[in-house]
Amino acid sequence: MTARRIDGKAAAQAIRDKIATLVPEFERRAGRPPALTTVLVGEDPASAVYVRSKNRATAEAGMVSFAHNLPATTTEDELLQLVTDLNADGRVDGILVQLPLPPKIDATRVIETIDPAKDVDGFHPINAGRLASGLPSLVPCTPLGCLYLLRQELGDLAGLNAVVVGRSNIVGKPMAQLLLAENCTVTIAHSRTRDVSDVVRNGDVVIAAVGRPEMIRSDWIKPGATVIDVGINRVPTDDGKGRLVGDVAYDEVAEVADAISPVPGGVGPMTIAMLMRNTLVAAHRRAGLADPEGL
Ligand code: NAP
């Protein structure tokens, strides 16, 4: 068997196209466009690339994109002041502070300062708590993107055994909450899990969010499972350029699984699409409008 390749690029484009059709309607009703503000501190090249692509996607969707690119010397107090100002700015629907921040800045304090209504990354403890309580919230983009792909592949997820490998606040924990809300039976594996391959082999659905290149092998996977690979790892190549691989050994797992998302071209594009989605949803809620349908 060779698994279906889950095309995250196509799914993300379809969502971004849909969002672009909904933006003018929001603008007509609210009297202003939705707006996302990105905040980048320092010159980390990977972060700069991510932020640029988020700003570009925002503009392509017809939304307003504000960018604050601050020097690495920015103090925590200066950053907290900027976030406070953005909270008070009525034009701003979403605030995204790109992580990681320089080590001298306490990222938790910064996240906790963002107005939860503008927290389009969904990292504020109020949004995490609301997600865990089954209340409306802004949900972290990467796990929400994984859920979209799973729903597209499988439809109703109720009753499936879902194994999430990784328990970060950004991916693993919110992913587990989302799958629980879909009525999956959820297991979270992590670095202290015993016999992790046996645990993963129980999954009808496997979400890998570990950050270890190709850790998950074909004999870890239940035949017919659906596998979503969140990992992004750069491994060395002979030409010195390196190449991106996921947390799943794609070629061999594809021989066992029913469907699998590739790296790149799987979860990555969905993360940006979900950021656009969260910005539009935040804009609707802030304007007192019902959430846009079908997103
Ligand atoms: P993280 O904060 O480093 O968390 C990694 C998790 O994996 C931890 O919970 C850790 O367990 C667990 N782990 C480590 N080694 C393990 C092992 N041998 N067996 C089982 N579990 C193990 O990483 P993250 O932020 O969640 O990101 C995970 C991966 O996804 C990274 O490759 C990252 O680059 C990628 N990512 C991609 C996107 C995207 O848009 N596609 C977005 C975010 C992240 P402990 O908790 O016990 O340490």
Side-chain angles (χ1 to χ4, degrees):
M1 170 164 70
T2 299
R4 271 190 321 285
R5 183 184 172 90
I6 301 175
D7 188 346
K9 214 171 153 193
Q13 192 57 55
I15 293 163
R16 286 169 59 174
D17 290 347
K18 180 165 174 100
I19 289 169
T21 67
L22 295 170
V23 167
E25 174 64 9
F26 172 83
E27 205 167 339
R28 194 182 59 73
R29 294 172 73 190
R32 62 174 186 84
L36 173 69
T37 297
T38 58
V39 181
L40 173 66
V41 184
E43 279 97 38
D44 177 57
S47 293
V49 169
Y50 286 139
V51 167
R52 266 203 303 279
S53 59
K54 289 168 185 177
N55 291 129
R56 200 178 319 119
T58 308
E60 278 171 17
M63 302 195 272
V64 172
S65 155
F66 301 116
H68 291 264
N69 295 334
L70 308 178
T73 50
T74 304
T75 65
E76 184 173 306
D77 283 347
E78 286 166 341
L79 182 56
L80 293 176
Q81 186 57 54
L82 173 62
V83 171
T84 305
D85 293 345
L86 294 172
N87 286 343
D89 186 339
R91 298 168 304 167
V92 172
D93 295 297
I95 302 171
L96 180 144
V97 180
Q98 184 66 37
L99 302 179
L101 288 166
K104 63 181 167 42
I105 297 181
D106 179 353
T108 304
R109 261 194 95 193
V110 175
I111 290 167
E112 287 179 348
T113 304
I114 297 172
D115 177 352
K118 298 188 177 189
D119 170 37
V120 283
D121 257 339
F123 297 160
H124 194 291
I126 288 196
N127 279 317
R130 292 180 68 88
L131 174 63
S133 305
L135 297 170
S137 61
L138 288 167
V139 178
C141 301
T142 299
L144 190 57
C146 295
L147 181 65
Y148 266 67
L149 293 178
L150 284 172
R151 282 207 194 119
Q152 178 181 284
E153 281 303 309
L154 297 168
D156 185 10
L157 305 178
L160 296 177
N161 286 337
V163 179
V164 181
V165 193
R167 56 173 165 179
S168 69
N169 290 337
I170 292 173
V171 189
K173 282 181 199 156
M175 187 75 248
Q177 294 294 353
L178 286 169
L179 292 166
L180 190 59
E182 295 289 314
N183 297 311
C184 291
T185 303
V186 182
T187 307
I188 307 177
H190 46 77
S191 68
R192 309 291 290 273
T193 298
R194 285 194 197 143
D195 303 323
V196 64
S197 56
D198 288 345
V199 172
V200 173
R201 211 173 295 116
N202 195 36
D204 303 305
V205 166
V206 175
I207 314 280
V210 185
R212 292 188 182 267
E214 300 183 324
M215 182 184 88
I216 294 181
R217 317 297 307 199
S218 57
D219 60 348
W220 295 33
I221 297 294
K222 182 199 261 194
T226 300
V227 180
I228 304 287
D229 191 352
V230 181
I232 303 178
N233 312 287
R234 187 166 287 280
V235 293
T237 51
D238 291 341
D239 63 8
K241 287 184 183 160
R243 104 191 135 90
L244 289 185
V245 299
D247 292 340
V248 178
Y250 184 94
D251 289 342
E252 60 175 72
V253 169
E255 296 301 315
V256 181
D258 183 49
I260 177 171
S261 70
V263 178
V267 174
M270 291 300 287
T271 297
I272 292 199
M274 292 301 110
L275 177 64
M276 302 300 106
R277 181 252 178 216
N278 279 356
T279 303
L280 188 62
V281 167
H284 277 72
R285 292 179 186 167
R286 292 186 60 251
L289 301 171
D291 284 2
E293 274 183 36
L295 274 184

